[in-house]
PDB file of all heavy atoms in Angstrom:
ATOM      1  N   VAL C 184      -1.500  11.499   4.665  1.00 97.00           N
ATOM      2  CA  VAL C 184      -0.675  11.808   3.490  1.00 97.00           C
ATOM      3  C   VAL C 184       0.265  12.970   3.789  1.00 97.00           C
ATOM      4  O   VAL C 184       0.682  13.699   2.899  1.00 97.00           O
ATOM      5  CB  VAL C 184      -1.514  12.094   2.227  1.00 97.00           C
ATOM      6  CG1 VAL C 184      -2.311  10.870   1.816  1.00 97.00           C
ATOM      7  CG2 VAL C 184      -2.463  13.281   2.442  1.00 97.00           C
ATOM      8  N   ALA C 185       0.586  13.151   5.080  1.00 98.00           N
ATOM      9  CA  ALA C 185       1.495  14.260   5.452  1.00 98.00           C
ATOM     10  C   ALA C 185       2.918  13.926   5.125  1.00 98.00           C
ATOM     11  O   ALA C 185       3.571  13.140   5.802  1.00 98.00           O
ATOM     12  CB  ALA C 185       1.332  14.558   6.949  1.00 98.00           C
ATOM     13  N   GLY C 186       3.443  14.496   4.038  1.00 98.00           N
ATOM     14  CA  GLY C 186       4.805  14.265   3.635  1.00 98.00           C
ATOM     15  C   GLY C 186       4.962  13.057   2.718  1.00 98.00           C
ATOM     16  O   GLY C 186       3.965  12.448   2.316  1.00 98.00           O
ATOM     17  N   LEU C 187       6.179  12.743   2.373  1.00 98.00           N
ATOM     18  CA  LEU C 187       6.435  11.624   1.450  1.00 98.00           C
ATOM     19  C   LEU C 187       6.078  10.278   2.109  1.00 98.00           C
ATOM     20  O   LEU C 187       6.081  10.156   3.324  1.00 98.00           O
ATOM     21  CB  LEU C 187       7.917  11.595   1.063  1.00 98.00           C
ATOM     22  CG  LEU C 187       8.451  12.830   0.338  1.00 98.00           C
ATOM     23  CD1 LEU C 187       9.968  12.671   0.076  1.00 98.00           C
ATOM     24  CD2 LEU C 187       7.740  13.058  -0.979  1.00 98.00           C
ATOM     25  N   SER C 188       5.772   9.286   1.293  1.00 98.00           N
ATOM     26  CA  SER C 188       5.431   7.968   1.766  1.00 98.00           C
ATOM     27  C   SER C 188       6.686   7.193   2.177  1.00 98.00           C
ATOM     28  O   SER C 188       6.995   6.120   1.612  1.00 98.00           O
ATOM     29  CB  SER C 188       4.689   7.140   0.691  1.00 98.00           C
ATOM     30  OG  SER C 188       3.570   7.848   0.216  1.00 98.00           O
TER      31      SER C 188
ATOM     32  N   SER P  75      -4.964  21.846  -1.491  1.00 95.00           N
ATOM     33  CA  SER P  75      -3.832  22.259  -0.670  1.00 95.00           C
ATOM     34  C   SER P  75      -2.841  23.169  -1.398  1.00 95.00           C
ATOM     35  O   SER P  75      -1.775  23.415  -0.905  1.00 95.00           O
ATOM     36  CB  SER P  75      -3.076  21.035  -0.155  1.00 95.00           C
ATOM     37  OG  SER P  75      -3.906  20.217   0.598  1.00 95.00           O
ATOM     38  N   GLY P  76      -3.215  23.588  -2.603  1.00 96.00           N
ATOM     39  CA  GLY P  76      -2.323  24.479  -3.334  1.00 96.00           C
ATOM     40  C   GLY P  76      -1.118  23.802  -3.940  1.00 96.00           C
ATOM     41  O   GLY P  76      -0.123  24.448  -4.276  1.00 96.00           O
ATOM     42  N   GLY P  77      -1.172  22.477  -4.136  1.00 96.00           N
ATOM     43  CA  GLY P  77      -0.035  21.730  -4.682  1.00 96.00           C
ATOM     44  C   GLY P  77       0.290  22.083  -6.101  1.00 96.00           C
ATOM     45  O   GLY P  77       1.405  21.880  -6.535  1.00 96.00           O
ATOM     46  N   ALA P 143      -0.721  11.739  -7.317  1.00 98.00           N
ATOM     47  CA  ALA P 143       0.230  12.662  -6.732  1.00 98.00           C
ATOM     48  C   ALA P 143      -0.070  12.974  -5.284  1.00 98.00           C
ATOM     49  O   ALA P 143       0.820  13.250  -4.495  1.00 98.00           O
ATOM     50  CB  ALA P 143       0.235  13.962  -7.514  1.00 98.00           C
ATOM     51  N   THR P 144      -1.367  12.881  -4.895  1.00 98.00           N
ATOM     52  CA  THR P 144      -1.704  13.167  -3.501  1.00 98.00           C
ATOM     53  C   THR P 144      -2.053  11.925  -2.709  1.00 98.00           C
ATOM     54  O   THR P 144      -2.397  12.047  -1.527  1.00 98.00           O
ATOM     55  CB  THR P 144      -2.911  14.143  -3.446  1.00 98.00           C
ATOM     56  OG1 THR P 144      -4.012  13.556  -4.204  1.00 98.00           O
ATOM     57  CG2 THR P 144      -2.605  15.499  -4.020  1.00 98.00           C
ATOM     58  N   LEU P 192       6.802   5.220  -3.235  1.00 98.00           N
ATOM     59  CA  LEU P 192       7.403   6.469  -2.843  1.00 98.00           C
ATOM     60  C   LEU P 192       6.876   7.636  -3.698  1.00 98.00           C
ATOM     61  O   LEU P 192       6.658   8.740  -3.230  1.00 98.00           O
ATOM     62  CB  LEU P 192       8.953   6.380  -2.965  1.00 98.00           C
ATOM     63  CG  LEU P 192       9.727   7.668  -2.670  1.00 98.00           C
ATOM     64  CD1 LEU P 192       9.545   8.075  -1.203  1.00 98.00           C
ATOM     65  CD2 LEU P 192      11.201   7.459  -3.007  1.00 98.00           C
ATOM     66  N   PHE P 193       6.634   7.358  -4.993  1.00 98.00           N
ATOM     67  CA  PHE P 193       6.156   8.411  -5.887  1.00 98.00           C
ATOM     68  C   PHE P 193       4.683   8.730  -5.630  1.00 98.00           C
ATOM     69  O   PHE P 193       4.238   9.873  -5.831  1.00 98.00           O
ATOM     70  CB  PHE P 193       6.443   8.063  -7.334  1.00 98.00           C
ATOM     71  CG  PHE P 193       7.872   8.218  -7.733  1.00 98.00           C
ATOM     72  CD1 PHE P 193       8.722   7.152  -7.788  1.00 98.00           C
ATOM     73  CD2 PHE P 193       8.359   9.488  -8.041  1.00 98.00           C
ATOM     74  CE1 PHE P 193      10.054   7.305  -8.109  1.00 98.00           C
ATOM     75  CE2 PHE P 193       9.677   9.636  -8.359  1.00 98.00           C
ATOM     76  CZ  PHE P 193      10.547   8.581  -8.434  1.00 98.00           C
ATOM     77  N   VAL P 194       3.895   7.711  -5.227  1.00 98.00           N
ATOM     78  CA  VAL P 194       2.490   7.965  -4.907  1.00 98.00           C
ATOM     79  C   VAL P 194       2.449   8.894  -3.696  1.00 98.00           C
ATOM     80  O   VAL P 194       3.028   8.585  -2.661  1.00 98.00           O
ATOM     81  CB  VAL P 194       1.744   6.659  -4.653  1.00 98.00           C
ATOM     82  CG1 VAL P 194       0.272   6.965  -4.292  1.00 98.00           C
ATOM     83  CG2 VAL P 194       1.814   5.737  -5.851  1.00 98.00           C
ATOM     84  N   GLY P 195       1.780  10.008  -3.840  1.00 98.00           N
ATOM     85  CA  GLY P 195       1.658  10.943  -2.726  1.00 98.00           C
ATOM     86  C   GLY P 195       2.802  11.926  -2.661  1.00 98.00           C
ATOM     87  O   GLY P 195       2.885  12.706  -1.677  1.00 98.00           O
ATOM     88  N   SER P 196       3.710  11.953  -3.583  1.00 98.00           N
ATOM     89  CA  SER P 196       4.880  12.835  -3.550  1.00 98.00           C
ATOM     90  C   SER P 196       4.568  14.213  -4.153  1.00 98.00           C
ATOM     91  O   SER P 196       5.463  15.069  -4.193  1.00 98.00           O
ATOM     92  CB  SER P 196       6.090  12.186  -4.196  1.00 98.00           C
ATOM     93  OG  SER P 196       5.874  12.003  -5.562  1.00 98.00           O
ATOM     94  N   GLU P 197       3.346  14.431  -4.595  1.00 98.00           N
ATOM     95  CA  GLU P 197       2.861  15.764  -5.027  1.00 98.00           C
ATOM     96  C   GLU P 197       3.780  16.426  -6.042  1.00 98.00           C
ATOM     97  O   GLU P 197       3.957  17.649  -6.029  1.00 98.00           O
ATOM     98  CB  GLU P 197       2.672  16.671  -3.789  1.00 98.00           C
ATOM     99  CG  GLU P 197       1.726  16.063  -2.762  1.00 98.00           C
ATOM    100  CD  GLU P 197       1.297  17.080  -1.673  1.00 98.00           C
ATOM    101  OE1 GLU P 197       1.194  18.265  -1.972  1.00 98.00           O
ATOM    102  OE2 GLU P 197       1.092  16.622  -0.523  1.00 98.00           O
ATOM    103  N   GLY P 198       4.297  15.615  -6.991  1.00 98.00           N
ATOM    104  CA  GLY P 198       5.090  16.179  -8.055  1.00 98.00           C
ATOM    105  C   GLY P 198       6.448  16.723  -7.622  1.00 98.00           C
ATOM    106  O   GLY P 198       7.146  17.360  -8.401  1.00 98.00           O
ATOM    107  N   THR P 199       6.881  16.386  -6.406  1.00 98.00           N
ATOM    108  CA  THR P 199       8.171  16.929  -5.932  1.00 98.00           C
ATOM    109  C   THR P 199       9.335  15.996  -6.260  1.00 98.00           C
ATOM    110  O   THR P 199      10.489  16.385  -6.121  1.00 98.00           O
ATOM    111  CB  THR P 199       8.164  17.164  -4.415  1.00 98.00           C
ATOM    112  OG1 THR P 199       7.996  15.908  -3.737  1.00 98.00           O
ATOM    113  CG2 THR P 199       7.031  18.127  -4.007  1.00 98.00           C
ATOM    114  N   LEU P 200       9.050  14.750  -6.625  1.00 98.00           N
ATOM    115  CA  LEU P 200      10.127  13.789  -6.919  1.00 98.00           C
ATOM    116  C   LEU P 200      10.202  13.362  -8.379  1.00 98.00           C
ATOM    117  O   LEU P 200      11.197  12.841  -8.826  1.00 98.00           O
ATOM    118  CB  LEU P 200       9.934  12.536  -6.092  1.00 98.00           C
ATOM    119  CG  LEU P 200       9.907  12.693  -4.549  1.00 98.00           C
ATOM    120  CD1 LEU P 200       9.774  11.338  -3.882  1.00 98.00           C
ATOM    121  CD2 LEU P 200      11.140  13.412  -4.022  1.00 98.00           C
ATOM    122  N   ILE P 408      -2.079  16.174   9.929  1.00 98.00           N
ATOM    123  CA  ILE P 408      -2.587  17.468   9.413  1.00 98.00           C
ATOM    124  C   ILE P 408      -3.289  17.279   8.089  1.00 98.00           C
ATOM    125  O   ILE P 408      -4.003  18.158   7.635  1.00 98.00           O
ATOM    126  CB  ILE P 408      -1.468  18.520   9.257  1.00 98.00           C
ATOM    127  CG1 ILE P 408      -0.377  17.955   8.285  1.00 98.00           C
ATOM    128  CG2 ILE P 408      -0.838  18.821  10.613  1.00 98.00           C
ATOM    129  CD1 ILE P 408       0.621  19.073   7.863  1.00 98.00           C
ATOM    130  N   THR P 409      -3.082  16.129   7.434  1.00 98.00           N
ATOM    131  CA  THR P 409      -3.766  15.880   6.181  1.00 98.00           C
ATOM    132  C   THR P 409      -3.984  14.431   5.930  1.00 98.00           C
ATOM    133  O   THR P 409      -3.033  13.658   5.885  1.00 98.00           O
ATOM    134  CB  THR P 409      -3.055  16.570   4.952  1.00 98.00           C
ATOM    135  OG1 THR P 409      -3.781  16.171   3.763  1.00 98.00           O
ATOM    136  CG2 THR P 409      -1.607  16.196   4.841  1.00 98.00           C
ATOM    137  N   HIS P 412      -5.816  15.213   1.295  1.00 97.00           N
ATOM    138  CA  HIS P 412      -5.667  16.356   0.347  1.00 97.00           C
ATOM    139  C   HIS P 412      -4.216  16.609  -0.013  1.00 97.00           C
ATOM    140  O   HIS P 412      -3.926  17.159  -1.070  1.00 97.00           O
ATOM    141  CB  HIS P 412      -6.262  17.621   0.903  1.00 97.00           C
ATOM    142  CG  HIS P 412      -7.729  17.587   1.070  1.00 97.00           C
ATOM    143  ND1 HIS P 412      -8.460  18.527   1.762  1.00 97.00           N
ATOM    144  CD2 HIS P 412      -8.684  16.684   0.605  1.00 97.00           C
ATOM    145  CE1 HIS P 412      -9.748  18.182   1.722  1.00 97.00           C
ATOM    146  NE2 HIS P 412      -9.906  17.073   1.039  1.00 97.00           N
ATOM    147  N   GLY P 413      -3.323  16.243   0.862  1.00 97.00           N
ATOM    148  CA  GLY P 413      -1.915  16.557   0.636  1.00 97.00           C
ATOM    149  C   GLY P 413      -1.485  17.794   1.383  1.00 97.00           C
ATOM    150  O   GLY P 413      -2.301  18.585   1.864  1.00 97.00           O
ATOM    151  N   VAL P 414      -0.169  18.004   1.461  1.00 97.00           N
ATOM    152  CA  VAL P 414       0.442  19.146   2.151  1.00 97.00           C
ATOM    153  C   VAL P 414       0.405  20.386   1.271  1.00 97.00           C
ATOM    154  O   VAL P 414       0.068  21.483   1.691  1.00 97.00           O
ATOM    155  CB  VAL P 414       1.880  18.800   2.574  1.00 97.00           C
ATOM    156  CG1 VAL P 414       2.543  20.011   3.222  1.00 97.00           C
ATOM    157  CG2 VAL P 414       1.857  17.642   3.538  1.00 97.00           C
ATOM    158  N   GLY P 415       0.785  20.172  -0.001  1.00 97.00           N
ATOM    159  CA  GLY P 415       0.821  21.288  -0.954  1.00 97.00           C
ATOM    160  C   GLY P 415       1.568  22.475  -0.427  1.00 97.00           C
ATOM    161  O   GLY P 415       2.623  22.361   0.175  1.00 97.00           O
ATOM    162  N   ARG P 416       1.040  23.653  -0.701  1.00 95.00           N
ATOM    163  CA  ARG P 416       1.678  24.904  -0.194  1.00 95.00           C
ATOM    164  C   ARG P 416       0.975  25.459   1.032  1.00 95.00           C
ATOM    165  O   ARG P 416       1.502  26.270   1.763  1.00 95.00           O
ATOM    166  CB  ARG P 416       1.686  25.951  -1.316  1.00 95.00           C
ATOM    167  CG  ARG P 416       2.588  25.558  -2.473  1.00 95.00           C
ATOM    168  CD  ARG P 416       2.620  26.475  -3.625  1.00 95.00           C
ATOM    169  NE  ARG P 416       3.713  26.081  -4.508  1.00 95.00           N
ATOM    170  CZ  ARG P 416       3.684  25.065  -5.357  1.00 95.00           C
ATOM    171  NH1 ARG P 416       2.595  24.344  -5.494  1.00 95.00           N
ATOM    172  NH2 ARG P 416       4.734  24.748  -6.095  1.00 95.00           N
ATOM    173  N   LEU P 417      -0.268  24.974   1.294  1.00 94.00           N
ATOM    174  CA  LEU P 417      -1.071  25.533   2.370  1.00 94.00           C
ATOM    175  C   LEU P 417      -0.692  24.985   3.748  1.00 94.00           C
ATOM    176  O   LEU P 417      -0.916  25.659   4.762  1.00 94.00           O
ATOM    177  CB  LEU P 417      -2.555  25.264   2.134  1.00 94.00           C
ATOM    178  CG  LEU P 417      -3.331  26.429   1.493  1.00 94.00           C
ATOM    179  CD1 LEU P 417      -2.812  26.717   0.098  1.00 94.00           C
ATOM    180  CD2 LEU P 417      -4.817  26.127   1.484  1.00 94.00           C
ATOM    181  N   LYS P 418      -0.164  23.797   3.814  1.00 95.00           N
ATOM    182  CA  LYS P 418       0.038  23.153   5.094  1.00 95.00           C
ATOM    183  C   LYS P 418       1.487  22.893   5.416  1.00 95.00           C
ATOM    184  O   LYS P 418       1.812  22.252   6.396  1.00 95.00           O
ATOM    185  CB  LYS P 418      -0.745  21.832   5.118  1.00 95.00           C
ATOM    186  CG  LYS P 418      -2.251  22.015   4.985  1.00 95.00           C
ATOM    187  CD  LYS P 418      -3.051  20.841   5.517  1.00 95.00           C
ATOM    188  CE  LYS P 418      -4.358  21.330   6.038  1.00 95.00           C
ATOM    189  NZ  LYS P 418      -5.101  20.296   6.713  1.00 95.00           N
ATOM    190  N   LYS P 419       2.377  23.366   4.555  1.00 93.00           N
ATOM    191  CA  LYS P 419       3.780  22.974   4.764  1.00 93.00           C
ATOM    192  C   LYS P 419       4.347  23.532   6.009  1.00 93.00           C
ATOM    193  O   LYS P 419       5.260  22.950   6.615  1.00 93.00           O
ATOM    194  CB  LYS P 419       4.641  23.277   3.540  1.00 93.00           C
ATOM    195  CG  LYS P 419       4.733  24.734   3.185  1.00 93.00           C
ATOM    196  CD  LYS P 419       5.632  24.889   1.955  1.00 93.00           C
ATOM    197  CE  LYS P 419       5.595  26.351   1.520  1.00 93.00           C
ATOM    198  NZ  LYS P 419       6.627  26.635   0.548  1.00 93.00           N
ATOM    199  N   SER P 420       3.834  24.673   6.480  1.00 94.00           N
ATOM    200  CA  SER P 420       4.390  25.257   7.729  1.00 94.00           C
ATOM    201  C   SER P 420       4.090  24.396   8.926  1.00 94.00           C
ATOM    202  O   SER P 420       4.814  24.419   9.922  1.00 94.00           O
ATOM    203  CB  SER P 420       3.829  26.671   7.927  1.00 94.00           C
ATOM    204  OG  SER P 420       2.445  26.625   8.084  1.00 94.00           O
ATOM    205  N   ALA P 421       3.039  23.577   8.823  1.00 97.00           N
ATOM    206  CA  ALA P 421       2.706  22.693   9.963  1.00 97.00           C
ATOM    207  C   ALA P 421       3.308  21.314   9.881  1.00 97.00           C
ATOM    208  O   ALA P 421       3.283  20.578  10.829  1.00 97.00           O
ATOM    209  CB  ALA P 421       1.169  22.584  10.099  1.00 97.00           C
ATOM    210  N   LEU P 422       3.875  21.030   8.713  1.00 98.00           N
ATOM    211  CA  LEU P 422       4.324  19.643   8.448  1.00 98.00           C
ATOM    212  C   LEU P 422       5.445  19.235   9.446  1.00 98.00           C
ATOM    213  O   LEU P 422       5.397  18.131  10.009  1.00 98.00           O
ATOM    214  CB  LEU P 422       4.793  19.458   7.033  1.00 98.00           C
ATOM    215  CG  LEU P 422       5.217  18.039   6.634  1.00 98.00           C
ATOM    216  CD1 LEU P 422       4.040  17.068   6.723  1.00 98.00           C
ATOM    217  CD2 LEU P 422       5.841  18.005   5.249  1.00 98.00           C
ATOM    218  N   ALA P 423       6.381  20.103   9.679  1.00 97.00           N
ATOM    219  CA  ALA P 423       7.510  19.775  10.568  1.00 97.00           C
ATOM    220  C   ALA P 423       7.031  19.515  11.994  1.00 97.00           C
ATOM    221  O   ALA P 423       7.618  18.677  12.712  1.00 97.00           O
ATOM    222  CB  ALA P 423       8.569  20.880  10.567  1.00 97.00           C
ATOM    223  N   LEU P 426       5.932  15.854  11.654  1.00 98.00           N
ATOM    224  CA  LEU P 426       6.995  14.871  11.339  1.00 98.00           C
ATOM    225  C   LEU P 426       8.165  14.892  12.350  1.00 98.00           C
ATOM    226  O   LEU P 426       8.771  13.880  12.584  1.00 98.00           O
ATOM    227  CB  LEU P 426       7.546  15.105   9.939  1.00 98.00           C
ATOM    228  CG  LEU P 426       6.552  15.002   8.765  1.00 98.00           C
ATOM    229  CD1 LEU P 426       7.296  15.108   7.440  1.00 98.00           C
ATOM    230  CD2 LEU P 426       5.753  13.724   8.803  1.00 98.00           C
ATOM    231  N   VAL P 430      12.484  13.145  10.741  1.00 98.00           N
ATOM    232  CA  VAL P 430      11.788  12.740   9.514  1.00 98.00           C
ATOM    233  C   VAL P 430      11.850  13.830   8.473  1.00 98.00           C
ATOM    234  O   VAL P 430      11.948  13.584   7.258  1.00 98.00           O
ATOM    235  CB  VAL P 430      10.360  12.312   9.820  1.00 98.00           C
ATOM    236  CG1 VAL P 430       9.595  11.937   8.570  1.00 98.00           C
ATOM    237  CG2 VAL P 430      10.311  11.150  10.811  1.00 98.00           C
ATOM    238  N   THR P 431      11.826  15.099   8.945  1.00 98.00           N
ATOM    239  CA  THR P 431      11.949  16.216   7.980  1.00 98.00           C
ATOM    240  C   THR P 431      13.313  16.123   7.285  1.00 98.00           C
ATOM    241  O   THR P 431      13.405  16.299   6.076  1.00 98.00           O
ATOM    242  CB  THR P 431      11.814  17.550   8.733  1.00 98.00           C
ATOM    243  OG1 THR P 431      10.502  17.556   9.339  1.00 98.00           O
ATOM    244  CG2 THR P 431      11.869  18.737   7.755  1.00 98.00           C
ATOM    245  N   THR P 434      13.256  13.401   4.754  1.00 98.00           N
ATOM    246  CA  THR P 434      12.542  13.816   3.569  1.00 98.00           C
ATOM    247  C   THR P 434      13.389  14.655   2.666  1.00 98.00           C
ATOM    248  O   THR P 434      13.409  14.471   1.454  1.00 98.00           O
ATOM    249  CB  THR P 434      11.271  14.629   4.045  1.00 98.00           C
ATOM    250  OG1 THR P 434      10.527  13.823   4.950  1.00 98.00           O
ATOM    251  CG2 THR P 434      10.424  15.031   2.843  1.00 98.00           C
ATOM    252  N   ARG P 435      14.179  15.565   3.236  1.00 98.00           N
ATOM    253  CA  ARG P 435      15.056  16.396   2.430  1.00 98.00           C
ATOM    254  C   ARG P 435      16.133  15.576   1.748  1.00 98.00           C
ATOM    255  O   ARG P 435      16.530  15.877   0.610  1.00 98.00           O
ATOM    256  CB  ARG P 435      15.760  17.476   3.305  1.00 98.00           C
ATOM    257  CG  ARG P 435      14.817  18.583   3.723  1.00 98.00           C
ATOM    258  CD  ARG P 435      15.551  19.737   4.442  1.00 98.00           C
ATOM    259  NE  ARG P 435      14.576  20.564   5.132  1.00 98.00           N
ATOM    260  CZ  ARG P 435      13.818  21.467   4.555  1.00 98.00           C
ATOM    261  NH1 ARG P 435      13.893  21.672   3.248  1.00 98.00           N
ATOM    262  NH2 ARG P 435      12.930  22.158   5.244  1.00 98.00           N
ATOM    263  N   LYS P 438      14.480  14.002  -1.213  1.00 98.00           N
ATOM    264  CA  LYS P 438      14.206  15.054  -2.228  1.00 98.00           C
ATOM    265  C   LYS P 438      15.523  15.428  -2.944  1.00 98.00           C
ATOM    266  O   LYS P 438      15.559  15.521  -4.176  1.00 98.00           O
ATOM    267  CB  LYS P 438      13.597  16.274  -1.533  1.00 98.00           C
ATOM    268  CG  LYS P 438      13.536  17.542  -2.349  1.00 98.00           C
ATOM    269  CD  LYS P 438      12.450  17.472  -3.455  1.00 98.00           C
ATOM    270  CE  LYS P 438      12.314  18.873  -4.140  1.00 98.00           C
ATOM    271  NZ  LYS P 438      11.404  18.780  -5.274  1.00 98.00           N
ATOM    272  N   LEU P 447      11.536  20.486  -9.237  1.00 98.00           N
ATOM    273  CA  LEU P 447      10.235  19.887  -9.336  1.00 98.00           C
ATOM    274  C   LEU P 447       9.288  20.405  -8.252  1.00 98.00           C
ATOM    275  O   LEU P 447       9.483  20.153  -7.063  1.00 98.00           O
ATOM    276  CB  LEU P 447      10.331  18.365  -9.259  1.00 98.00           C
ATOM    277  CG  LEU P 447      11.036  17.694 -10.447  1.00 98.00           C
ATOM    278  CD1 LEU P 447      11.150  16.179 -10.205  1.00 98.00           C
ATOM    279  CD2 LEU P 447      10.306  17.971 -11.761  1.00 98.00           C
ATOM    280  N   ASN P 448       8.255  21.110  -8.659  1.00 98.00           N
ATOM    281  CA  ASN P 448       7.267  21.664  -7.765  1.00 98.00           C
ATOM    282  C   ASN P 448       7.798  22.332  -6.501  1.00 98.00           C
ATOM    283  O   ASN P 448       7.442  21.968  -5.400  1.00 98.00           O
ATOM    284  CB  ASN P 448       6.227  20.566  -7.366  1.00 98.00           C
ATOM    285  CG  ASN P 448       4.837  21.173  -7.198  1.00 98.00           C
ATOM    286  OD1 ASN P 448       4.613  22.354  -7.489  1.00 98.00           O
ATOM    287  ND2 ASN P 448       3.869  20.379  -6.738  1.00 98.00           N
ATOM    288  N   PRO P 449       8.713  23.309  -6.727  1.00 98.00           N
ATOM    289  CA  PRO P 449       9.331  23.937  -5.560  1.00 98.00           C
ATOM    290  C   PRO P 449       8.277  24.644  -4.681  1.00 98.00           C
ATOM    291  O   PRO P 449       7.338  25.213  -5.225  1.00 98.00           O
ATOM    292  CB  PRO P 449      10.280  24.984  -6.205  1.00 98.00           C
ATOM    293  CG  PRO P 449       9.722  25.227  -7.556  1.00 98.00           C
ATOM    294  CD  PRO P 449       9.079  23.943  -7.983  1.00 98.00           C
ATOM    295  N   GLY P 450       8.435  24.530  -3.409  1.00 96.00           N
ATOM    296  CA  GLY P 450       7.485  25.163  -2.461  1.00 96.00           C
ATOM    297  C   GLY P 450       6.354  24.281  -2.062  1.00 96.00           C
ATOM    298  O   GLY P 450       5.616  24.594  -1.169  1.00 96.00           O
ATOM    299  N   ALA P 451       6.237  23.085  -2.711  1.00 97.00           N
ATOM    300  CA  ALA P 451       5.231  22.151  -2.243  1.00 97.00           C
ATOM    301  C   ALA P 451       5.875  21.174  -1.266  1.00 97.00           C
ATOM    302  O   ALA P 451       7.032  20.819  -1.416  1.00 97.00           O
ATOM    303  CB  ALA P 451       4.638  21.366  -3.435  1.00 97.00           C
ATOM    304  N   ILE P 452       5.112  20.778  -0.252  1.00 96.00           N
ATOM    305  CA  ILE P 452       5.557  19.881   0.827  1.00 96.00           C
ATOM    306  C   ILE P 452       6.657  20.516   1.682  1.00 96.00           C
ATOM    307  O   ILE P 452       6.479  20.738   2.853  1.00 96.00           O
ATOM    308  CB  ILE P 452       5.996  18.485   0.365  1.00 96.00           C
ATOM    309  CG1 ILE P 452       4.890  17.771  -0.440  1.00 96.00           C
ATOM    310  CG2 ILE P 452       6.427  17.655   1.546  1.00 96.00           C
ATOM    311  CD1 ILE P 452       5.218  16.329  -0.819  1.00 96.00           C
ATOM    312  N   LEU P 453       7.785  20.799   1.059  1.00 92.00           N
ATOM    313  CA  LEU P 453       8.942  21.322   1.799  1.00 92.00           C
ATOM    314  C   LEU P 453       9.083  22.833   1.634  1.00 92.00           C
ATOM    315  O   LEU P 453       8.760  23.373   0.625  1.00 92.00           O
ATOM    316  CB  LEU P 453      10.231  20.623   1.379  1.00 92.00           C
ATOM    317  CG  LEU P 453      10.357  19.170   1.818  1.00 92.00           C
ATOM    318  CD1 LEU P 453      11.494  18.496   1.083  1.00 92.00           C
ATOM    319  CD2 LEU P 453      10.636  19.098   3.316  1.00 92.00           C
TER     320      LEU P 453
END
Side-chain angles (χ1 to χ4, degrees):
Chain C
V184 297
L187 299 177
S188 304
Chain P
S75 299
T144 55
L192 178 64
F193 284 99
V194 179
S196 65
E197 303 191 33
T199 64
L200 302 182
I408 59 168
T409 175
H412 294 168
V414 175
R416 292 177 169 79
L417 262 64
K418 297 201 149 188
K419 63 180 174 167
S420 61
L422 184 64
L426 301 186
V430 178
T431 301
T434 304
R435 287 188 196 281
K438 169 74 173 172
L447 293 177
N448 213 7
I452 301 185
L453 286 168

